[in-house]
Amino acid sequence: MHGDATGWLADLESRARAVLPAPVLRYVSEGARDEVTLAEATAAWREVRLLPRVLRDVREVRLGGALLGSPTRSPLGVAPMTLQRAAHARGEVAMAEAAAVAGVPMVLSSNAGSTFADVGATGATWWLQLYMTPEREVAARLLDEAVRHGAAAVVLTVDTPVVGTRHAAPDEERVWDVADPAWVGANLPESGREPDPAGRAKAMDLAPADLGWLRERSGVPLVVKGVLRGDDAADAVQAGADGVWVSNHGGRQLDQAQATARCVGRVREAVGDRATVLVDGGVRSGLHAAVGLALGADAVLLGRPLFMALAAEGPDGVRRALGLLHDELEEAMRLAGCPDVAALRGVVDSGATGPR
């Protein structure tokens, strides 16, 4: 498979505009408040400079391995996204099928429009994204059901005690005013199926003790998503997390939060080899993924570009997007003199990674 992922993914967005209802497109694309963090995400990856190795045998380059105990073909993955059934009639099931073919994990939003059973039936490796509720047992029951249907890990989102403000023109329709109820909430209890995430209560008292409790309750690896600080990452691992996910929620929560490209290195430094490190945010090419891995991530996950691929071309579009990213990453590894993902560590010019 050959081609340029960056150009093709950019073209997908314009094609998706012809398919998606305007409120859905706006909801998926928007950031918090003045969208400062949203605007900086991709540029931050471009700021990083690499110091490639030479005189290395790169005839064979190995992208595959294991992530949280599951085999992977690439150190890539699908980030959690709601409203996928607005992009494609089969929504998360179609996305999971594409992820299964690509050999990468998919993280299923707790507000998905497809059931755990249907996603599990695709054979994909999938993890549940979970918001903690004020009454812990409500979230725990959702987790129990996900694990029963094959969730291989749980991803606890910790950067959303409340939903960040996103500005809209007064005359714009809100997505939740036009959304089909079938697009969301397929796994939530009837009493909790308020479609708008802002209308569902979230715990504002999350603490390290919650991590150990969730890990013990689920029996599967636990990832803490929404970490930008090294000290928070270390605390999460100390409390029982198997992984930390460097994320600013796609620029949708606290505006003017730092770009993830500038945070992943400090998180890796804080946790060492004691935990899996994931990163997302503004990744638009295999080269960006290579930078994320070089900075210390074990895997790089994408959201919006794959949503647009699903809208424009269905599961075939997602497969093509993941294939292009895989091929670009493989090329970058060869050019950097890295025969496997682990060898990418250390090819970053530490004096040119932006402020840390």
Side-chain angles (χ1 to χ4, degrees), residues 36-54:
V36 173
T37 298
L38 177 68
E40 291 179 348
T42 299
W45 294 111
R46 297 194 186 108
E47 291 175 2
V48 180
R49 296 296 175 264
L50 303 174
L51 290 173
R53 296 184 171 96
V54 296

Side-chain angles (χ1 to χ4, degrees), residues 125-147:
T125 295
W126 68 279
W127 309 338
L128 172 68
Q129 175 272 327
L130 184 71
Y131 291 108
M132 186 61 77
T133 50
E135 301 78 19
R136 300 312 197 244
E137 197 61 27
V138 174
R141 287 197 295 269
L142 187 70
L143 174 59
D144 292 345
E145 192 68 7
V147 171

Side-chain angles (χ1 to χ4, degrees), residues 36-38 40-41 44 47 226-229 246-251 254-264 266 279-281 353-356:
V36 173
T37 298
L38 177 68
E40 291 179 348
E47 291 175 2
V227 178
L228 298 177
R229 299 173 56 98
V246 181
S247 177
N248 55 36
H249 216 106
L254 177 64
D255 200 16
Q256 296 187 220
Q258 185 60 281
T260 55
R262 300 184 185 127
C263 298
V264 65
R266 66 165 67 106
V279 67
D280 68 7
T353 59
R356 292 180 57 190

Side-chain angles (χ1 to χ4, degrees), residues 104-307:
V104 301
M106 168 182 163
V107 187
L108 185 71
S109 167
S110 58
N111 200 29
S114 302
T115 66
F116 296 151
D118 287 344
V119 171
T122 66
T125 295
W126 68 279
W127 309 338
L128 172 68
Q129 175 272 327
L130 184 71
Y131 291 108
M132 186 61 77
T133 50
E135 301 78 19
R136 300 312 197 244
E137 197 61 27
V138 174
R141 287 197 295 269
L142 187 70
L143 174 59
D144 292 345
E145 192 68 7
V147 171
R148 188 169 73 83
H149 286 287
V154 57
V155 175
L156 178 66
T157 298
V158 296
D159 61 0
T160 312
V162 295
V163 174
T165 297
R166 298 159 203 167
H167 296 312
D171 58 344
E172 288 180 338
E173 283 186 302
R174 294 173 68 253
V175 66
W176 306 115
D177 295 331
V178 302
D180 185 328
W183 290 350
V184 296
N187 302 290
L188 298 174
E190 289 292 337
S191 60
R193 289 190 181 179
E194 159 65 44
D196 183 352
R200 295 198 299 273
K202 297 174 177 63
M204 290 192 277
D205 60 344
L206 271 174
D210 288 303
L211 307 186
W213 174 72
L214 275 177
R215 181 68 175 83
E216 183 176 354
R217 172 96 180 213
S218 70
V220 299
L222 170 68
V223 177
V224 176
K225 179 179 182 288
V227 178
L228 298 177
R229 299 173 56 98
D231 53 358
D232 283 347
D235 288 347
V237 174
Q238 178 67 28
D242 301 277
V244 288
W245 186 329
V246 181
S247 177
N248 55 36
H249 216 106
R252 297 166 69 83
Q253 281 298 100
L254 177 64
D255 200 16
Q256 296 187 220
Q258 185 60 281
T260 55
R262 300 184 185 127
C263 298
V264 65
R266 66 165 67 106
V267 167
R268 171 54 74 187
E269 184 177 354
V271 304
D273 294 325
R274 295 177 295 138
T276 296
V277 175
L278 311 175
V279 67
D280 68 7
V283 174
R284 296 295 181 268
S285 71
L287 182 57
H288 294 165
V291 169
L293 298 166
L295 287 167
D298 294 297
V300 177
L301 292 94
L302 296 94
R304 290 180 178 101
L306 300 183
F307 187 98

